[in-house]
Amino acid sequence: MSDSARIVIIGGGVGGASVAYHLAQLGERDVVLLERDELTSGSTFHSAGLVGQLRADPTLTRMNQYSVELYRGLDAGWTECGGVKLASTPERMAEIRRQIGWARTFGLPLEEISVAEAVELFPLMDPQGVVGAAYLPTDGQIDPSQLCYALATRAREGGVTVRTRTRVLGIDVERGRVTGVRTDQGDIACEIVVNCGGMFAAEIGRMAGVRVPIVPMSHQYVVSDAFHDHTGLPTLRDPDLLVYYRQEVQGLVMGGYERTSAPWTAGPGAYDAVPGDFNGRLLPEDWPRFEEISDNSRVRVPAMADVGIRKLINGPEAFTPDNEFCLGETEVAGFFVAAGFCAHGIAGAGGIGKVMAEWIVEGEPGMDLWHMDVRRFGRHYRSPSYTIKRAVENYETYYDIRYPGHERSAGRPLRLSPAYAWHAGHGAVFGEKSGWERVNHYRANEDGSEDERPGGWAGRLWSPAIGAEHRATRTAAGLFDESSFAKIEVTGPDAAELLEWVCDNEVARHVGAVTYTQALNRRGGIECDFTVTRRGEEEFLVVTGTAFGSHDAGWLRKQAARTGATARIADVTGQYACFALWGPRARDVLGGLTPDPLDFPFMSARELTVGDVPVLALRVTFVGEHGWELYCSTEYGLGLWQELWRAGEPYGLVAGGYRAIDSLRLEKGYRVWGADIGPETTPYEAGLGFCVKPGKDFLGKDALDPAPTRRLRCLTLGDPRAVALGNEPVRVDGRVVARVTSGGYGYTAGASIAYAYLEAGPGTPVEVEVEGRWVPGTVVKGPLVP
């Protein structure tokens, strides 16, 4: 075996084969794919082979669409039979109608069909209890093993070396970068390693000192005997019954997601370890655990009660804690991951290979892959026990309807603000983000009014407290706990130079300056969105969103490595509490607690004492009202919160939560990364051109167009109770031209607000499809509240 290669791929399943094929397509020839046994011998060979395209995540939908395009041209048993999704409850039908709206924005021909039409497409079903359905004719099924072999063959034709029966024993890392792979057939020096190990990915990651948070879950399905003479049956999903079906010759494949799952490990305490000899094997049949699925299957397809079962397949599938893939480069430079396919890797395999190959070759992804980026998992996912709790919960609720504001419960509470006990004692309703318990709203602020409850999905987890907290902030003062915000210190001799190169705005200004800025990728897309506070000549504090700390710190470290900058980049989130005090009476509240003057200007910082607490006060806002973000060392946090609360009560201060913050920021037009802005949008498109300083050099500058054809526009809908939440299609002159990036209700404006990227300007009539109904609206000039 060759003792060197530029790229080594570990894992000969459909993921590894697809990455290898797409690397060859991009001209990479010095590539070796290693498989411990034979190709497909991990999870690929026992996959059910369903290929559905539509997902809630826009990028994943586009990836799945690409997969179908690719599979049509492969000799791999692709059958474009279409897919039917049933609704057995009115709530599920509402979900389906939302999904039909999403599909319009991607050009997917998903359509609502009647129950009779569903029966015509899938005559084996009993329509009893079905209230509606949707049909996507371009969905299908494929033979997973044939797909893997077809991709591997094309990879070989492109110059990739495929080595089976080669077990990886170790991965060499020097100075934070991968340098080689050790195998039982010899060692390979390399620049890049791609971990496509499937259920073995966590173990492979440990060889490089990297945590890959996946859990092998036992997933079962049956293959029936032949019992019908139909041809061309579509795939069929009935999520209310937790089951799916596809045709297998003259029988059916039937499986589902049971409520009593079974994580599979090598033994107690082993968590995600897999036996070393588990190659091309299945797990023992577990009929008692499959009983719920089996009973449900007979409800929808009565013949399943009498048909013979040829075999029950029980195979481990690698699941992540949030049912999204693990893709991308890890904290070890050159060590990539493409794993955790959550039983829909066959549908995604083509797109996965494409985006991973582009990421490897270009050094950054060509699409917005944050929802699948392995870096989205913070340090708490280094805990196998926490990972398994989350993975089990997600598996067992796989087919549940995910209403806006849905909160997961496993592994909670974990990360707590120092004021957590105060919040709980005052009736806080908590949400969770990146392991943090965060206040959504307080029950004590509910006034019992239902007048502003949105219709449909948006109203399901709504509370009148949101409006009360919103209005108090606009008219008096609101106090918000933002301790979960990620905080990154950038220090050292080259800190200023590094940040000036990374950021589009000028950040290395005078000590005490606070700058709102973006960090761009080479395409000019917004890779990060944060504030930078200069605390000293060689000391900067970056504050970013709760879930983005690991991403943004990783981006900064990557640019430091690329430029050779001498700078220390440290996540210090847990060291500081942060409380936001905003509103017209905020100065009155804070002024009574500090002897220090509060005359420092907007977007600047000053050290203060607030009561007995030393505080760093940032004169910034995310709600559009006068006030400060107040940072203190964590041990002072509870005392600071209580001081602010007591001082504010005479002025009408209200403690508020993140639901109110979101409503307030919508009215002011403040953008949210991962929704309104991201790696595929530029500052000029997003209306953030004021941050761009073209007189300096920065990453991505050459790719920017200061006069883009589309821009992020604010829309108001004619029906204030019709609230868009994201991904709804936007129509201009009867043609779908965009999707909603984010939306909600503005309590001061008294309007339903949505944002979308449009070529049309203010005054243009639009329509937004909200749960199957086209709601008229207008493009308006923001912000709605001055």
Side-chain angles (χ1 to χ4, degrees):
M1 187 164 65
S2 172
D3 61 1
S4 67
R6 176 169 134 73
I7 302 170
V8 173
I9 301 168
I10 303 174
V14 69
S18 184
V19 172
Y21 163 70
H22 285 90
L23 283 171
Q25 289 290 103
L26 294 179
E28 293 287 339
R29 301 289 181 263
D30 195 9
V31 180
V32 175
L33 185 152
L34 304 177
E35 164 55 43
R36 60 195 284 154
D37 193 65
E38 298 294 340
L39 297 180
T40 81
S41 63
S43 295
T44 297
F45 81 94
H46 60 70
S47 296
L50 280 72
V51 179
Q53 296 167 86
L54 184 65
R55 294 290 189 272
D57 179 67
T59 301
L60 182 54
T61 299
R62 288 155 59 193
M63 290 166 60
N64 290 353
Q65 287 179 278
Y66 170 78
S67 291
V68 168
E69 292 175 16
L70 175 65
Y71 300 167
R72 287 170 178 155
L74 295 176
D75 183 15
W78 168 248
T79 302
E80 198 157 318
C81 55
V84 174
K85 183 176 182 179
L86 303 178
S88 298
T89 63
E91 293 79 11
R92 184 70 66 179
M93 197 63 224
E95 179 194 49
I96 285 177
R97 288 184 175 130
R98 282 179 57 81
Q99 292 171 340
I100 290 170
W102 299 347
R104 294 187 212 279
T105 68
F106 302 110
L108 281 172
L110 181 66
E111 60 179 331
E112 183 175 341
I113 60 174
S114 67
V115 176
E117 289 172 314
V119 173
E120 185 177 350
L121 288 165
F122 200 96
L124 299 173
M125 67 173 275
D126 181 350
Q128 182 69 33
V130 178
V131 299
Y135 175 58
L136 183 55
T138 55
D139 277 354
Q141 61 191 61
I142 196 167
D143 184 293
S145 293
Q146 287 188 50
L147 173 61
C148 183
Y149 278 105
L151 291 168
T153 297
R154 293 205 174 188
R156 284 191 181 100
E157 293 170 351
V160 173
T161 300
V162 178
R163 298 283 185 180
T164 58
R165 300 284 179 177
T166 304
R167 184 180 294 270
V168 173
L169 304 176
I171 297 172
D172 296 325
V173 177
E174 296 180 10
R175 297 183 179 180
R177 181 169 194 89
V178 69
T179 60
V181 174
R182 287 175 278 119
T183 82
D184 60 359
Q185 303 296 316
D187 299 343
I188 309 174
C190 61
E191 301 174 22
I192 293 168
V193 172
V194 190
N195 178 1
C196 298
M199 62 180 142
F200 301 97
E203 293 180 70
I204 294 168
R206 281 193 288 271
M207 295 178 185
V210 170
R211 170 67 178 158
V212 181
I214 65 163
V215 177
M217 300 289 293
S218 166
H219 184 72
Q220 299 188 108
Y221 64 85
V222 296
V223 181
S224 79
D225 288 338
F227 71 98
H228 65 83
D229 57 4
H230 298 287
T231 58
L233 291 176
T235 61
L236 180 72
R237 293 175 176 84
D238 189 339
D240 292 308
L241 289 175
L242 311 177
V243 294
Y244 62 78
Y245 310 82
R246 73 162 174 83
Q247 184 163 1
E248 177 70 9
V249 194
Q250 302 311 124
L252 290 178
V253 165
M254 182 279 292
Y257 293 85
E258 66 279 8
R259 298 293 188 187
T260 53
S261 65
W264 180 64
T265 66
Y271 295 106
D272 49 25
V274 179
D277 61 348
F278 197 84
N279 303 310
R281 293 167 51 190
L282 297 171
L283 301 174
E285 297 176 352
D286 190 349
W287 283 103
R289 188 166 57 81
F290 197 67
E291 184 176 356
E292 177 186 19
I293 301 300
S294 181
D295 290 344
N296 287 356
S297 75
R298 299 165 189 160
V299 173
R300 192 55 59 225
V301 179
M304 294 299 292
D306 302 313
V307 69
I309 300 300
R310 186 150 51 93
K311 55 184 173 181
L312 183 147
I313 306 295
N314 185 5
E317 296 274 0
F319 275 75
T320 65
D322 61 2
N323 282 339
E324 299 284 0
F325 303 151
C326 274
L327 306 181
E329 191 170 15
T330 68
E331 63 266 32
V332 173
F335 187 73
F336 288 78
V337 175
F341 295 165
C342 304
H344 56 276
I346 301 302
I352 289 167
K354 182 177 188 294
V355 300
M356 285 298 300
E358 292 170 349
W359 199 334
I360 291 163
V361 172
E362 298 297 329
E364 58 190 41
M367 303 171 71
D368 181 1
L369 292 171
W370 170 241
H371 292 99
M372 292 166 264
D373 193 321
V374 66
R375 294 170 298 173
R376 73 188 182 275
F377 295 112
R379 291 181 60 82
H380 48 295
Y381 282 101
R382 292 181 182 271
S383 163
S385 63
Y386 184 80
T387 301
I388 203 169
K389 290 171 188 172
R390 283 297 171 111
V392 165
E393 180 185 43
N394 273 289
Y395 183 95
E396 293 178 351
T397 60
Y398 190 91
Y399 273 147
D400 284 6
I401 298 173
R402 305 285 182 175
Y403 291 111
H406 167 80
E407 300 287 350
R408 293 178 290 172
S409 59
R412 296 177 60 184
L414 181 64
R415 306 175 77 182
L416 306 178
S417 159
Y420 173 80
W422 190 98
H423 302 320
H426 286 75
V429 175
F430 289 102
E432 177 269 333
K433 195 166 191 177
S434 195
W436 282 95
E437 294 295 316
R438 311 195 317 168
V439 178
N440 282 339
H441 61 269
Y442 292 88
R443 290 191 181 90
N445 294 327
E446 295 177 348
D447 59 9
S449 172
E450 293 289 309
D451 293 344
E452 293 175 309
R453 180 181 291 274
W457 276 32
R460 282 189 166 268
L461 298 176
W462 176 88
S463 166
I466 302 168
E469 293 164 10
H470 172 121
R471 291 190 178 94
T473 304
R474 288 275 189 250
T475 60
L479 183 61
F480 301 90
D481 189 340
E482 296 182 336
S483 297
S484 67
F485 275 16
K487 310 160 194 84
I488 303 164
E489 286 183 349
V490 183
T491 58
D494 297 334
E497 183 180 354
L498 170 66
L499 287 170
E500 280 296 318
W501 167 248
V502 169
C503 299
D504 60 354
N505 208 339
E506 184 181 351
V507 296
R509 299 186 291 132
H510 59 86
V511 174
V514 180
T515 306
Y516 172 52
T517 185
Q518 294 76 48
L520 310 184
N521 55 40
R522 286 183 290 182
R523 304 183 311 280
I526 302 172
E527 199 67 43
C528 313
D529 180 72
F530 45 54
T531 61
V532 179
T533 301
R534 188 166 198 171
R535 302 197 64 185
E537 289 302 314
E538 298 182 357
E539 182 181 359
F540 296 82
L541 176 67
V542 174
V543 179
T544 187
T546 298
F548 309 141
S550 58
H551 172 276
D552 292 4
W555 183 259
L556 292 170
R557 292 189 184 105
K558 185 169 187 175
Q559 305 317 314
R562 281 179 171 175
T563 60
T566 302
R568 178 178 181 268
I569 299 163
D571 187 331
V572 295
T573 300
Q575 296 180 26
Y576 297 100
C578 173
F579 306 131
L581 174 65
W582 292 314
R585 305 303 301 271
R587 182 181 291 270
D588 297 324
V589 176
L590 191 59
L593 291 173
T594 180
D596 300 298
L598 298 177
D599 58 354
F600 55 103
F602 185 58
M603 299 305 287
S604 63
R606 183 174 292 176
E607 301 280 354
L608 307 174
T609 57
V610 178
D612 297 329
V613 179
V615 165
L616 173 67
L618 271 60
R619 179 75 171 78
V620 296
T621 180
F622 195 55
V623 301
E625 297 295 332
H626 176 86
W628 299 266
E629 288 180 355
L630 304 171
Y631 294 80
C632 70
S633 184
T634 302
E635 70 267 24
Y636 296 110
L638 178 59
L640 177 60
W641 180 273
Q642 291 174 328
E643 288 270 20
L644 292 166
W645 177 252
R646 285 191 293 265
E649 284 187 292
Y651 298 102
L653 177 73
V654 168
Y658 278 86
R659 296 287 185 264
I661 289 177
D662 192 55
S663 172
L664 290 157
R665 71 94 190 166
L666 281 167
E667 292 183 335
K668 296 296 291 189
Y670 295 149
R671 280 62 167 136
V672 171
W673 193 86
D676 303 308
I677 56 178
E680 295 186 62
T681 55
T682 73
Y684 290 110
E685 291 174 324
L688 299 174
F690 64 90
C691 292
V692 179
K693 295 296 181 285
K696 70 163 198 164
D697 288 331
F698 57 87
L699 179 61
K701 175 183 176 180
D702 294 341
L704 292 179
D705 177 2
T709 56
R710 65 168 196 165
R711 294 183 186 271
L712 186 64
R713 299 296 189 184
C714 180
L715 320 177
T716 56
L717 305 190
D719 180 357
R721 301 281 79 80
V723 174
L725 299 163
N727 285 337
E728 292 88 350
V730 180
R731 197 162 67 178
V732 176
D733 293 331
R735 184 171 64 91
V736 173
V737 295
R739 65 177 182 86
V740 171
T741 59
S742 68
Y745 183 72
Y747 292 87
T748 302
S752 175
I753 305 167
Y755 287 87
Y757 283 90
L758 298 170
E759 296 183 11
T764 303
V766 299
E767 294 174 288
V768 178
E769 187 179 13
V770 180
E771 298 183 26
R773 178 168 69 98
W774 286 102
V775 180
T778 306
V779 179
V780 298
K781 185 177 180 180
L784 293 177
V785 176

